[in-house]
Amino acid sequence: MTGEEDRIKNVKELMSGNEAIARGAYEYGVTFASAYPGTPSTEITEVFSRYNGGYAEWSPNEKVALEVGIGAALAGAKAMVVMKHVGVNVAADPLFTVSYTGTNGGLVIITADDPSLHSSQNEQDNRNYARFAKIPMLEPADSQEAKNYIKSAFEISERFDTPVFLRATTRVSHSKSVVALEDPIQREDTTSIRHNRDKYVMVPAKARIRRVEVEKRMEKLGEFVDTFSENRIEINDPDVGIITAGMCYNYTKDVFPQYSYLKLGMVYPIPVNLIREFASRVKKIYVVEELDPFLEEQIKAMGIEVTGKKIFPYTGEFDPGIVETAITGSSQNTFNFPVSIPPRPPNLCPGCPHRGLFYVLGKLGVFVTGDIGCYTLAFMKPLEGLDSCICMGASIGMAHGMSRALKDKGKGKIVGVIGDSTFIHSGITSLLNTVYNQSNAVIVIADNSTTAMTGMQDHPATGITLQGKKTKELDFVSLASALGIENVRVTDPFDLKETELVMKEELGRDGPSLVISKGLCALLQSKQHEKITPLRINPDKCTGCKLCLRLGCPAISWERLEDIDVTIQKKTKKQKGIAVIDSSLCNGCSLCDQLCNFEAIEEAQGNE
Amino acid sequence: MNNTTRSILLAGVGGQGIIRASDILSLVMIEAGYDVKKSEVHGMAQRGGCVTSHVRYGKKVYSPMAKKGDVDILVSFEKLETLRYLDYLKPEGKIIINDEEIYPPSVNLGEVEYPDNINELIASHFSNPKVIRASEMALKAGNHKTSNSAILGALSLYLDIQTNFWESVLRNAFSEKILEANLRAFNFGRNA
């Protein structure tokens, strides 16, 4: 061992679960990763791509990412495919059949679930996919385990010729804890072309044979899981036993260190003999798990009496207090302050290109089928410019369906809005459908030239890869024209008049229209433009009409006349206050200036 | 070192440098020989929403999140956010408040009022909340983005951690260009 290696063995680092998964994949010699960004999974692929020697890509969506990963695994690579929980829905089609074919190389699918819907449209429990698709699943409890388990996942994949799930939850992905670093193993090139049509061509005759192999594999995994060292029994007080996995183990250990534990590292299949052994050594058993009674139902089916969802919530993520309250039955110490606290929801940034578009849509009073991205926030007051959000890509299909169902009643009143990255993810086929089945809905691509919500990831239309290399750039106008859309318009959302005019024209037309509302994400503007000129409101001109406040810009606020230090001449009898721009927040987008009827908005001078 | 896990909760608004501050705090605790876990939520919260970060340290830490009523120190980067997370604090817990108001959308729209006298209200329920003016310290330090270092400086007085641990972590945390301003802000906070 060289001195260098010796040193790294002793290095400990504070890492998020996501960083640790990336590190573990690197240490284990994983050379291939594909993903679509999605909170809380995004950083895994970003961090992995920065390690030397591997290939990593943003695929256009999770289904493509998984298919890319399957291809790499069949070629003999160790491939990691990364997505958030709802991404697995998108990838479900290849998922269920790669379970039949097996993987040749290593194939690990990371599903980052989001109990409590911190950044998601649902809180589905993806452990169900493991059972549904007959794919083993590991679930780490902290960053050190995340790093260890990604290696175990690949070992299991390679040994049993199966895809393997690694399930993280938001709290594992985004909490940080101490991780011991190790050297990466020597990478070998394991790739080659190996024809095996019996195994990989899933026509009915072949798939029936593989179907039997899947059950044989599950049987072998069932034996293996009883010996898997990450399923472990900790016997303390034998009166109470806890069966748990993932972050719930930490919550429970935190409040009940004295109890006995069966801590599962692999949550599917479950270790039947180990569970029976544990049950024989403790009296009362609680199953502590967030979301569905996934372990509980399987353990009860074994004829073992346990307490689970009878006392624990079905919904939301847990914390130590929730676990303690459920088991002791006592209520949490909550301090209620005698003041109502205004909520602080997330908001579109100052200078966001979506603000102008949704201001116009809200004003037009149309029904806007929305999609997944920052712009979903436009449903809130005061913009109220978006009426639905179901899943990635839903806006276009829904706008078409609604327009078809409403017939004349919906004419000129239905708009589907989708972001650029979301459009590429799953809007292209539904846009084609609006042409094929002749829709009267107007579709808008809110193109801010990035995947903003998840933190500025590139995509095919930015022309830059995950590795920062230039590539062929997708052109939405040519794409739309190739799909057969005759009315394609490009507008500037920072120009309210033009946006309103174009929307009105397109809503007045028969047949499908596409409007590309093109304005750079505010967070990219500050990176790319050297100089931004913030605005201010001239208090001597502001009449307090509040029109600019209707933009919901975080930089603009309302001040009552009595709260202002200097005396301000009232412009009208009714004037109660003035609008104020915080020049340190203002991006100078000028929307408020375009709305103001009193020329009260001007460029902020030097020291503002 | 006894087995008690101690919890610090940092709360404020997206963009105030809370995550960075909690990273620094965690690294200091590791330098001082503790096991550390910390937790926050990314994503939607970045867009001007509430941001909290739990930092827990001790001999062996299990949960990265504290339960309600169990936080030792609440460090609030914004006055209103102090109120929102008071229920996490132990009855005898300590509070550090940055004397800054950032209006949420409903206040900006003039629909609801930003609560008056927050500092006084808190002082009537908890003993000796420490109020600091981090923005002023940051400006005095020469960089308005160093408020979070000033707040960490104020927090450092409540923790039994040698100053050299703070200094070595801070020196690694910032680029040369902004390091001196951050160290100055930290010291203003510590001497406040």
Side-chain angles (χ1 to χ4, degrees):
Chain A
M1 192 183 277
T2 68
E4 177 93 356
E5 282 166 343
D6 221 359
R7 270 200 301 280
I8 203 161
K9 286 258 188 279
N10 296 316
V11 171
K12 289 194 171 187
E13 229 177 77
L14 184 70
M15 281 186 158
S16 70
N18 282 350
E19 289 165 337
I21 290 171
R23 175 74 201 187
Y26 164 69
E27 287 178 3
Y28 191 68
V30 174
T31 51
F32 201 97
S34 50
Y36 181 79
T39 311
S41 72
T42 312
E43 301 84 5
I44 298 171
T45 316
E46 288 180 324
V47 174
F48 177 79
S49 76
R50 289 181 213 130
Y51 287 112
N52 284 331
Y55 172 81
E57 70 170 41
W58 292 131
S59 305
N61 67 32
E62 294 86 354
K63 177 175 183 285
V64 176
L66 178 52
E67 290 154 352
V68 167
I70 293 171
L74 293 201
K78 290 182 170 80
M80 173 169 79
V81 185
V82 186
M83 58 196 72
K84 68 182 290 174
H85 61 330
V86 286
V88 181
N89 302 337
V90 179
D93 203 357
L95 177 76
F96 279 79
T97 306
V98 74
S99 173
Y100 284 26
T101 61
T103 54
N104 182 32
L107 179 64
V108 173
I109 302 152
I110 294 161
T111 166
D113 291 13
D114 191 17
S116 277
L117 306 91
H118 293 289
S119 236
S120 305
Q121 67 270 38
N122 78 28
E123 61 169 0
Q124 66 188 48
D125 185 338
N126 273 9
R127 292 177 302 171
N128 293 298
Y129 268 117
R131 184 157 54 168
F132 196 5
K134 298 176 185 286
I135 293 173
M137 178 180 270
L138 304 181
E139 186 171 353
D142 60 20
S143 299
Q144 180 66 55
E145 285 192 358
K147 198 190 79 151
N148 297 347
Y149 285 17
I150 184 75
K151 298 180 187 182
S152 305
F154 274 101
E155 280 164 5
I156 293 164
S157 175
E158 287 161 329
R159 177 167 160 196
F160 294 93
D161 188 27
T162 177
V164 175
F165 271 121
L166 182 85
R167 178 189 189 237
T169 54
T170 300
R171 210 45 75 177
V172 171
S173 285
H174 283 174
S175 65
K176 288 190 175 178
S177 52
V178 180
V179 176
L181 303 190
E182 289 165 77
D183 292 315
I185 60 168
Q186 198 68 42
R187 284 205 182 101
E188 300 156 37
D189 185 0
T190 49
T191 57
S192 66
I193 295 177
R194 301 179 186 85
H195 297 276
N196 193 345
R197 286 175 284 271
D198 285 343
K199 192 161 175 273
Y200 301 136
V201 183
M202 286 301 93
V203 294
K206 300 295 180 193
R208 276 181 211 118
I209 296 166
R210 291 301 304 173
R211 173 73 188 85
V212 177
E213 291 301 314
V214 172
E215 292 308 320
K216 287 186 192 160
R217 185 183 76 210
M218 285 313 300
E219 217 177 291
K220 282 187 205 150
L221 280 162
E223 288 163 20
F224 165 77
V225 71
D226 266 322
T227 63
F228 181 51
S229 60
E230 294 298 331
N231 294 326
R232 61 169 195 266
I233 291 178
E234 303 164 7
I235 295 291
N236 298 309
D237 174 2
D239 279 347
V240 181
I242 306 281
I243 301 179
T244 188
M247 188 51 84
C248 288
Y249 168 78
N250 289 320
Y251 297 152
T252 318
K253 276 294 263 196
D254 200 88
V255 281
F256 299 116
Q258 74 276 24
Y259 290 164
S260 297
Y261 284 79
L262 171 55
K263 196 265 185 197
L264 299 180
M266 189 187 264
V267 292
Y268 191 78
I270 56 168
V272 172
N273 291 323
L274 202 64
I275 290 169
R276 287 200 194 287
E277 185 199 327
F278 185 66
S280 72
R281 293 171 72 181
V282 295
K283 284 185 191 146
K284 164 103 186 157
I285 300 177
Y286 293 103
V287 178
V288 185
E289 55 187 330
E290 290 166 336
L291 306 179
D292 294 341
F294 181 79
L295 300 173
E296 179 186 349
E297 284 177 354
Q298 294 181 74
I299 295 166
K300 279 181 171 166
M302 291 165 58
I304 295 170
E305 199 186 315
V306 297
T307 303
K309 291 298 165 182
K310 203 174 127 192
I311 60 167
F312 291 103
Y314 279 88
T315 58
E317 76 176 332
F318 291 179
D319 64 23
I322 289 172
V323 174
E324 183 178 46
T325 303
I327 290 182
T328 62
S330 69
S331 65
Q332 281 189 56
N333 164 26
T334 51
F335 178 82
N336 284 318
F337 214 73
V339 173
S340 83
I341 305 167
R344 192 187 296 278
N347 195 357
L348 299 174
C349 306
C352 174
H354 300 318
R355 181 167 284 108
L357 171 66
F358 284 95
Y359 176 79
V360 168
L361 293 174
K363 189 178 159 193
L364 292 176
V366 289
F367 191 102
V368 176
T369 57
D371 226 295
I372 308 267
C374 293
Y375 50 93
T376 319
L377 299 170
F379 83 95
M380 289 187 297
K381 275 184 177 174
L383 291 173
E384 297 180 312
L386 182 138
D387 298 284
S388 73
C389 165
I390 300 282
C391 69
M392 294 286 284
S395 56
I396 302 180
M398 285 174 65
H400 170 64
M402 199 169 245
S403 155
R404 274 282 164 197
L406 287 166
K407 295 178 192 153
D408 282 351
K409 282 179 283 183
K411 209 158 179 300
K413 289 178 183 150
I414 307 298
V415 177
V417 181
I418 187 165
D420 45 341
S421 187
T422 309
F423 174 69
I424 293 162
H425 178 284
S426 49
I428 298 173
T429 43
S430 44
L431 187 64
L432 175 62
N433 187 46
T434 66
V435 179
Y436 177 53
N437 287 307
Q438 283 300 298
S439 184
N440 280 328
V442 175
I443 305 305
V444 180
I445 300 178
D447 180 5
N448 62 359
S449 302
T450 188
T451 317
M453 182 99 255
T454 46
M456 311 293 132
Q457 289 75 30
D458 280 294
H459 59 62
T462 70
I464 308 281
T465 67
L466 171 56
Q467 276 129 346
K469 294 207 177 87
K470 275 212 155 146
T471 183
K472 184 86 181 161
E473 192 177 317
L474 170 66
D475 174 28
F476 291 133
V477 177
S478 324
L479 173 69
S481 125
L483 292 177
I485 294 187
E486 284 160 11
N487 309 312
V488 185
R489 306 284 294 271
V490 181
T491 62
D492 175 5
F494 294 113
D495 184 336
L496 292 174
K497 277 206 180 101
E498 178 194 291
T499 300
E500 184 169 344
L501 184 76
V502 168
M503 286 310 303
K504 279 182 173 164
E505 281 175 8
E506 294 311 313
L507 284 163
R509 246 191 249 277
D510 282 333
S513 292
L514 180 71
V515 175
I516 298 164
S517 173
K518 194 168 173 58
L520 199 61
C521 172
L523 299 176
L524 288 178
Q525 289 167 36
S526 52
K527 275 185 195 160
Q528 292 182 7
H529 295 232
E530 323 75 64
K531 197 168 158 49
I532 284 164
T533 313
L535 304 177
R536 71 184 283 264
I537 293 177
N538 183 339
D540 298 326
K541 289 188 179 173
C542 177
T543 65
C545 75
K546 289 191 174 179
L547 192 56
C548 55
L549 290 170
R550 300 192 57 84
L551 290 165
C553 176
I556 311 178
S557 60
W558 175 250
E559 281 203 41
R560 296 178 302 181
L561 289 176
E562 60 263 38
D563 293 342
I564 305 170
D565 300 337
V566 291
T567 357
I568 285 167
Q569 208 79 48
K570 279 196 188 187
K571 263 69 70 186
T572 64
K573 259 191 171 171
K574 285 185 189 162
Q575 183 171 358
K576 295 218 166 64
I578 56 164
V580 177
I581 293 177
D582 180 344
S583 300
S584 70
L585 292 175
C586 176
N587 258 339
C589 78
S590 89
L591 291 184
C592 52
D593 185 28
Q594 293 171 44
L595 284 182
C596 183
N597 292 318
F598 305 96
E599 292 176 350
I601 296 173
E602 54 195 38
E603 287 185 1
Q605 305 295 319
N607 290 336
E608 278 298 309
Chain B
M1 205 182 283
N2 66 21
N3 271 329
T4 326
T5 296
R6 288 173 59 85
S7 308
I8 300 172
L9 177 58
L10 295 87
V13 178
Q16 285 194 296
I18 293 157
I19 310 256
R20 185 68 183 278
S22 69
D23 275 340
I24 290 169
L25 172 61
S26 302
L27 292 171
V28 168
M29 292 307 178
I30 290 173
E31 284 275 307
Y34 291 104
D35 184 27
V36 176
K37 282 187 178 169
K38 62 164 290 207
S39 181
E40 65 254 341
V41 170
H42 312 197
M44 290 285 261
Q46 289 176 347
R47 306 284 175 262
C50 319
V51 173
T52 60
S53 182
H54 296 234
V55 175
R56 308 194 72 218
Y57 61 100
K59 194 174 171 196
K60 162 81 187 158
V61 179
Y62 286 102
S63 172
M65 279 204 298
K67 62 177 179 177
K68 286 183 177 170
D70 201 35
V71 162
D72 296 282
I73 308 174
L74 172 62
V75 185
S76 177
F77 286 53
E78 199 275 350
K79 280 163 67 180
L80 183 62
E81 296 312 303
T82 326
L83 294 184
R84 207 184 301 283
Y85 299 101
L86 276 178
D87 57 349
Y88 272 92
L89 201 60
K90 280 179 180 165
E92 72 280 15
K94 302 272 182 269
I95 306 180
I96 298 167
I97 306 169
N98 177 24
D99 200 18
E100 185 164 344
E101 296 182 359
I102 300 174
Y103 292 169
S106 55
V107 174
N108 268 349
L109 290 172
E111 288 174 352
V112 295
E113 304 248 320
Y114 193 94
D116 279 336
N117 308 324
I118 290 176
N119 296 347
E120 293 75 7
L121 268 170
I122 291 168
S124 66
H125 285 78
F126 291 88
S127 61
N128 302 322
K130 172 92 177 172
V131 178
I132 64 158
R133 295 176 183 272
S135 306
E136 282 174 19
M137 294 173 191
L139 284 177
K140 216 167 82 182
N143 183 335
H144 70 279
K145 286 183 174 165
T146 59
S147 296
N148 54 356
S149 290
I151 293 169
L152 283 177
L155 170 64
S156 71
L157 282 181
Y158 289 79
L159 301 169
D160 189 17
I161 301 288
Q162 296 167 36
T163 44
N164 59 324
F165 292 139
W166 282 101
E167 188 161 327
S168 74
V169 171
L170 287 167
R171 286 198 178 276
N172 281 320
F174 296 103
S175 67
E176 215 169 299
K177 222 173 103 189
I178 53 170
L179 173 65
E180 288 308 320
N182 275 287
L183 288 175
R184 277 196 296 273
F186 179 85
N187 284 320
F188 287 142
R190 193 170 167 89
N191 296 318

